[in-house]
Amino acid sequence: MKSVGFIGLGHMGAPMALNILKADFKLKVFDLNPSAVRTLSDAGATTVSSALEAANDVDVLITMLPSSPHVKQLYLGEDGLFENISGQPLIIDCSTIAPDAAKEVAEAAKRRGLEMLDAPVSGGVAGASAGTLTFIIGGKSEALEKGRPFFECMGKNIFHAGGNGAGQVAKICNNMLLAVLMAGTAEALQLGVNNGLDPKVLSDIMNKSSGNNWCLDVYNPYPGVMDNAPAARDYDGGFLVDLMNKDLGLAAEAMLSSKSSTPLGSLAKSLYALHASKGHGGLDFSSIQKLFQPE
Amino acid sequence: MKSVGFIGLGHMGAPMALNILKADFKLKVFDLNPSAVRTLSDAGATTVSSALEAANDVDVLITMLPSSPHVKQLYLGEDGLFENISGQPLIIDCSTIAPDAAKEVAEAAKRRGLEMLDAPVSGGVAGASAGTLTFIIGGKSEALEKGRPFFECMGKNIFHAGGNGAGQVAKICNNMLLAVLMAGTAEALQLGVNNGLDPKVLSDIMNKSSGNNWCLDVYNPYPGVMDNAPAARDYDGGFLVDLMNKDLGLAAEAMLSSKSSTPLGSLAKSLYALHASKGHGGLDFSSIQKLFQPE
Amino acid sequence: MKSVGFIGLGHMGAPMALNILKADFKLKVFDLNPSAVRTLSDAGATTVSSALEAANDVDVLITMLPSSPHVKQLYLGEDGLFENISGQPLIIDCSTIAPDAAKEVAEAAKRRGLEMLDAPVSGGVAGASAGTLTFIIGGKSEALEKGRPFFECMGKNIFHAGGNGAGQVAKICNNMLLAVLMAGTAEALQLGVNNGLDPKVLSDIMNKSSGNNWCLDVYNPYPGVMDNAPAARDYDGGFLVDLMNKDLGLAAEAMLSSKSSTPLGSLAKSLYALHASKGHGGLDFSSIQKLFQPE
Amino acid sequence: MKSVGFIGLGHMGAPMALNILKADFKLKVFDLNPSAVRTLSDAGATTVSSALEAANDVDVLITMLPSSPHVKQLYLGEDGLFENISGQPLIIDCSTIAPDAAKEVAEAAKRRGLEMLDAPVSGGVAGASAGTLTFIIGGKSEALEKGRPFFECMGKNIFHAGGNGAGQVAKICNNMLLAVLMAGTAEALQLGVNNGLDPKVLSDIMNKSSGNNWCLDVYNPYPGVMDNAPAARDYDGGFLVDLMNKDLGLAAEAMLSSKSSTPLGSLAKSLYALHASKGHGGLDFSSIQKLFQPE
């Protein structure tokens, strides 16, 4: 039986780790938050008192952390894992971080003789719980194949984007485009409503025409159009505005470092930052509709 | 056998009229361009020497003209149809024009005792020829039902958007959103490529993720990704940049008259205007990719 | 003594007409609003009961109306001035309207044998009262020279922008740029404040550096920086957001008809439309600062 | 006689150091580029073979480096100055870098018992040669006063923006606003020209109206309007597009870290990145006019 170490049991990490357990892998977990650890402990995971202990002598190490500095600190910092780890785990970092940070850590792993994948996810807490996440993976094909059984018990779609860092780049591009789709859909719906259309009728027409996109398919931002979307419950839950702003910040960094021009993505960033600054950071990101609704 | 009058035999109008003929309706046609008339004449249509003659004593009158002033001139101008027409045809204007113009003409029709629909289309010349257009219709349900046999021989999808003018509004909203989708997809793909990704791999990932939209499905703007898209033939044909600019102009007018805010749609308009000003107005609208490609 | 007819005694027109009176010209006035007429009557103007009577048999006719349709209706409509006017006045339209409308009316004037100038103003109600308006004039030089004594009693700066319509184009370009300056200054000040700077210190530095512009000179949007600016009195008075939106709408029309690309101007339009839609249309346009201030 | 160490003799640093020499301070210089060193050596400066030697035992140390990593490496890196320096110089870093980097280095200086100022400049190579630079300074007032004699021999305007890092923030805000002014002026001029105006006439009108800004005053981007501007010499020289892009990148980072919304600044960044990607990075930044000129 393969053994797994898992570091980072937040909103996403905890249900992901639970799915590892359900698949009958042996699991060691660590998080600074004791209540997060307890949930996993209750479910049968071994708990340890440091990140290093979670990482030592396992077949696979999975990490799920908030941002680039956390990941760099864990692996490369003073008393970091790469200086002290025992064993030769395949390392899978599921955090969404800057591509440059992902590459830097992967290169350090390589110097240390370890295989590493960047594997950011999409699908949110619901997907993490249901085991239906999408993994967008950067690293070598052989490493991805070694990791496949673990990805498969946590997710449904597994994409290979390219070498180390490519998983992060692909996720960032996707989420920048998503922000453009959502804000663009919201303003198109509002333009229709302001000109007398029924938002449901307009949504149906665009959904079957060339305006079709993921937001119209499954995540309509206009209240009253779609029963199961966050718009139906005052934009509670889902993918938060603050998280979209974090991903748009990573897109901005990728734009800067590659000297790219992203006019629509940058404008979506400005609109989401404006929306957050008015106190809406904790709402679902489809709440950008509120920005366009007249008072 | 029902009789149809058809005015405006351009790139779109001519194949639409041919599909009316094929459905065994009796057809009278008029256009200022004699060669356009000849094609229909050869196919069995009756030709007449004025718009008024084409409109007199038919069951249905269909018009397909370039812009608002043409439509207003035809129906409301000096010697316009509404002053002189004989008979009580159902009037179907398939032109893409300003919603306010569509409403104005429909109100004049009503005062004259005539039923009128605004029925702009999408699907391009290919859809017009194949009889697979999408009609987005504004006007009364009963009028739409009377017109249905005629829509069905020219198109596949028939949407009822609301009262008079609503067909124009819905088409304008859809096409503004389409411009945002296309430009947003192009810049996201370029951001990925500039950061080392393969555009085909990135397209596949986003197509199956939350970045999915009509452009990734059937109209990928990046050369080499999709064999049948205009990008595969140097952006020849398809839906021209100049036509997208016309529709974005109508969206701008609708934005102004309704005091709406359309930041992404307006930015897409600026990008398409910039693209056209550099000599690319005659290319397919997915050529906006070229704007983002480094030289 | 020269005689002047004046039509349109609104917030701007009334004080302008008063300055004509003060300069000892003979003045006939007309407005649909009786209280506006009374103010001028009390000051010594002759009042008449129709626009036509105000226009008949004067040396100069000045009009100051809200928008293009008003101007076209007055001059070109049924029972319009050009069909009925007696005498050969120099016509000066001070309304801010679409350049195409200004040209159309000027051409009709020419066919009627009348000289006409488009002469939109800047300087607001304060400038109208103080007689310090700026006139931006389109039309022939000789006509401008004939009008000069009248411009000089109402304003301080008199610019000749070109032929008929050019006054409108120049005013529109200036005000589009002004919207960009104001919104750009507001977001730069907010960026500084959000990073710990004192807005007054930052304003002083930029005012003496390459960021300098009219807003930093005389109209600082950040509260507490400038004692006499609208920002010091909760953005009361001044040049209203609704009026800026009207001028930005004219800029959008000029952009569309000339196939220009105005990315920053269009974005400023979207921001001002957003700001107005949240109930701020009646505030001074420097209140765009509020859009950027965190709640 | 006070002694100065100067590290970084590039296009800006070399003429700044020459002005230190001219003011009869004792000067030690270091740069990795021998030809840059030779110019200063010929002018009477002492040359040394390492940055540390240049920094040791002087009254004031001035550094002028390309970007944040260079500054951090010099002061904080392995064998960095702060670990090894002898003496207690006032440290003045004139590089334009990220405010967070400036703060980090200043805090390390403080722990080491050294006073430090961030003092980015504006005015370009011409200002550096003429000794007319503007210094925008972050740090303590007393430190600024100690440095004043040195600033005064290199520049004309000396601003105190606030504590450490504030100099960088103020410069970044100014330059972001400058990019908005320049691009906004260029598109307003083009809109006027596309509608038939003479760019010189329009420039004069806006220069005396509310559209006035630094670009219209001294740096008109339209060819033929201003004899001494870069536009008169095919945009040769001046402040390069690549440097504007660097500063707009710093603005983007400051926007991200402070969760600000900078829609116009971000759009200007996208436009300048687009312009650079078409091969214009080496032109003066007023060449953004070319983006708007039809082909």
Side-chain angles (χ1 to χ4, degrees), chain C residues 63-81:
Chain C
T63 54
M64 186 58 163
L65 302 173
S67 68
S68 306
H70 298 86
V71 173
K72 287 169 73 169
Q73 179 64 27
L74 176 69
Y75 288 106
L76 310 179
E78 282 186 73
D79 297 318
L81 293 187

Side-chain angles (χ1 to χ4, degrees), chain C residues 278-291:
Chain C
K278 300 303 186 188
H280 301 311
L283 296 182
D284 180 76
F285 85 116
S286 62
S287 64
I288 197 74
Q289 188 73 54
K290 292 165 74 82
L291 192 68

Side-chain angles (χ1 to χ4, degrees), chain D residues 9-283:
Chain D
L9 303 168
H11 293 300
M12 293 295 294
M16 290 167 69
L18 282 170
N19 281 322
I20 294 284
L21 262 189
K22 282 185 204 154
D24 277 336
F25 292 109
K26 209 169 133 188
L27 181 68
K28 266 198 294 183
V29 299
F30 177 72
D31 193 286
L32 291 170
N33 175 354
S35 82
V37 172
R38 204 169 313 122
T39 305
L40 269 293
S41 161
D42 291 350
T46 303
T47 63
V48 293
S49 58
S50 74
L52 181 60
E53 286 178 73
N56 276 340
D57 305 311
V58 292
D59 297 304
V60 176
L61 172 63
I62 302 175
T63 54
M64 187 58 163
L65 301 174
S67 68
S68 305
H70 298 88
V71 173
K72 288 170 72 169
Q73 180 63 26
L74 174 70
Y75 286 106
L76 311 178
E78 280 186 77
D79 296 319
L81 293 187
F82 288 161
E83 285 212 356
N84 300 288
I85 197 170
S86 68
Q88 288 284 109
L90 168 67
I91 299 179
I92 300 172
D93 179 41
C94 295
S95 319
T96 295
I97 63 172
D100 287 348
K103 277 184 219 168
E104 185 184 344
V105 175
E107 277 158 25
K110 195 178 171 192
R111 285 194 300 274
R112 181 62 187 69
L114 296 167
E115 287 178 305
M116 182 157 189
L117 297 168
D118 48 292
V121 305
S122 76
V125 172
S129 299
T132 58
L133 289 173
T134 293
F135 288 90
I136 307 179
I137 300 170
K140 294 205 170 161
S141 297
E142 308 81 60
L144 189 155
E145 291 312 319
K146 276 193 208 166
R148 188 175 290 277
F150 306 93
F151 292 126
E152 285 180 343
C153 68
M154 296 185 287
K156 202 172 62 174
N157 295 305
I158 298 162
F159 296 116
H160 188 201
N164 283 117
Q168 303 294 351
V169 173
K171 177 167 180 195
I172 285 169
C173 290
N174 183 76
N175 281 20
M176 183 183 80
L177 180 51
L178 172 58
V180 170
L181 302 184
M182 186 55 88
T185 298
E187 75 176 46
L189 288 172
Q190 195 66 49
L191 179 64
V193 168
N194 291 356
N195 281 280
L197 294 198
D198 178 316
K200 193 160 172 33
V201 170
L202 178 57
S203 293
D204 287 348
I205 292 173
M206 298 198 298
N207 193 28
K208 289 171 190 144
S209 304
S210 52
N212 188 36
N213 68 82
W214 185 85
C215 304
L216 287 171
D217 268 347
V218 302
Y219 217 98
N220 197 296
Y222 208 94
V225 173
M226 206 173 259
D227 285 349
N228 300 319
R233 45 178 198 270
D234 284 336
Y235 304 108
D236 184 42
F239 180 47
L240 302 192
V241 167
D242 282 344
L243 288 173
M244 179 50 95
N245 268 312
K246 180 202 158 192
D247 287 0
L248 287 168
L250 292 171
E253 288 174 20
M255 171 271 284
L256 293 176
S257 69
S258 61
K259 297 176 192 275
S260 301
S261 179
T262 56
L264 292 162
S266 294
L267 180 51
K269 171 64 182 151
S270 289
L271 296 175
Y272 271 104
L274 204 59
H275 191 49
S277 78
K278 301 302 185 189
H280 303 309
L283 296 182

Side-chain angles (χ1 to χ4, degrees), chain C residues 99-100 103 122 134 136 157 159-162 165-167 169-185 187-198 201-202 204-217 251 254-255 257-268 271 292, chain D residues 99-100 103 122 134 136 157 159-162 165-167 169-185 187-198 201-202 204-217 251 254-255 257-268 271 292:
Chain C
D100 287 347
K103 277 185 220 168
S122 77
T134 293
I136 308 179
N157 295 305
F159 296 117
H160 188 201
V169 173
K171 178 169 178 194
I172 285 169
C173 291
N174 183 76
N175 281 20
M176 184 183 81
L177 180 52
L178 172 58
V180 169
L181 301 184
M182 185 56 87
T185 298
E187 75 175 49
L189 288 172
Q190 195 66 48
L191 179 65
V193 168
N194 291 357
N195 281 280
L197 293 199
D198 179 315
V201 170
L202 177 57
D204 287 348
I205 292 173
M206 297 198 298
N207 192 28
K208 289 173 190 141
S209 304
S210 50
N212 188 36
N213 68 83
W214 185 86
C215 304
L216 287 170
D217 267 348
M255 171 271 285
S257 69
S258 62
K259 298 176 190 274
S260 300
S261 179
T262 56
L264 292 161
S266 294
L267 180 51
L271 297 174
F292 298 110
Chain D
D100 287 348
K103 277 184 219 168
S122 76
T134 293
I136 307 179
N157 295 305
F159 296 116
H160 188 201
V169 173
K171 177 167 180 195
I172 285 169
C173 290
N174 183 76
N175 281 20
M176 183 183 80
L177 180 51
L178 172 58
V180 170
L181 302 184
M182 186 55 88
T185 298
E187 75 176 46
L189 288 172
Q190 195 66 49
L191 179 64
V193 168
N194 291 356
N195 281 280
L197 294 198
D198 178 316
V201 170
L202 178 57
D204 287 348
I205 292 173
M206 298 198 298
N207 193 28
K208 289 171 190 144
S209 304
S210 52
N212 188 36
N213 68 82
W214 185 85
C215 304
L216 287 171
D217 268 347
M255 171 271 284
S257 69
S258 61
K259 297 176 192 275
S260 301
S261 179
T262 56
L264 292 162
S266 294
L267 180 51
L271 296 175
F292 297 111

